[in-house]
Amino acid sequence: MCDVAYGMKLKIPSDMIYLRPVRAFMRELAENMGFCHDRANDIGLVVDEVFANAIEHGSAETESWVIIQCLPTDEMMEIIVSDTGRGQEPSTRWISAWADAIKKKTVSGTERGHGLLLAHNLTDEMSMESNPTGGIDVHLMIYKEEQKIAQR
């Protein structure tokens, strides 16, 4: 794997008003990095879903922050979305919800609860872990399509 060419860190207020600009920014960044149009759209959608979860489930109030870090290489993009936690419920609850989602235990026929499954299905690797603030770090790895095909 190549060394990280550059990295970025965004500190965004925990407010749904930022969903659309974050999605557009991440999609544009991916296209500028050489991801094909479809993979860039996937990246925008995945970050949108994880960012929305961080706001809704991982932030105590709109005065808290969500951190999005991006560590790209020539072959892939690693994205880490971190929230600060709600302070009242353990972060392990959301890690458990993610484990259920990837086992496809989400309830079909409902409008909610599919964002983590969608994110898992559109990324090459996804993991969640508790962070020191009481929140969750969601790690996403997305390979450029030509790299993904070469690894099969």
Side-chain angles (χ1 to χ4, degrees):
M1 183 174 296
C2 295
D3 292 331
V4 172
Y6 52 90
M8 61 136 214
K9 185 175 184 177
L10 300 172
K11 183 176 179 180
I12 305 161
S14 182
D15 192 318
M16 293 289 188
I17 196 169
Y18 296 103
L19 282 175
R20 187 173 175 191
V22 165
R23 177 190 267 196
F25 174 80
M26 293 303 296
R27 184 179 56 239
E28 182 79 16
L29 177 65
E31 283 187 348
N32 288 336
M33 286 180 51
F35 282 86
C36 71
H37 180 74
D38 288 341
R39 284 304 267 170
N41 281 333
D42 289 350
I43 290 169
L45 180 57
V46 165
V47 172
D48 181 270
E49 290 292 338
V50 174
F51 182 55
N53 271 1
I55 293 167
E56 184 175 351
H57 304 297
S59 301
E61 53 196 48
T62 57
E63 293 167 4
S64 60
W65 299 90
V66 176
I67 305 292
I68 299 175
Q69 297 177 73
C70 180
L71 307 166
T73 70
D74 291 339
E75 296 98 14
M76 51 75 75
M77 183 186 298
E78 177 181 4
I79 301 165
I80 304 166
V81 180
S82 304
D83 63 58
T84 57
R86 297 184 69 90
Q88 61 202 35
E89 51 192 49
S91 60
T92 54
R93 177 174 172 229
W94 300 113
I95 294 172
S96 176
W98 172 75
D100 287 346
I102 63 168
K103 292 176 189 169
K104 302 196 180 7
K105 291 184 182 176
T106 57
V107 179
S108 61
T110 62
E111 292 181 23
R112 297 185 46 81
H114 301 284
L116 292 176
L117 180 59
L118 177 67
H120 179 263
N121 288 338
L122 292 177
T123 58
D124 297 302
E125 298 175 37
M126 179 178 166
S127 64
M128 293 174 72
E129 62 187 18
S130 298
N131 65 35
T133 67
I136 293 181
D137 292 343
V138 179
H139 295 260
L140 308 161
M141 301 284 280
I142 302 110
Y143 292 93
K144 290 183 180 173
E145 196 62 33
E146 59 271 14
Q147 294 297 324
K148 188 176 177 181
I149 291 168
Q151 291 177 346
R152 289 183 189 162

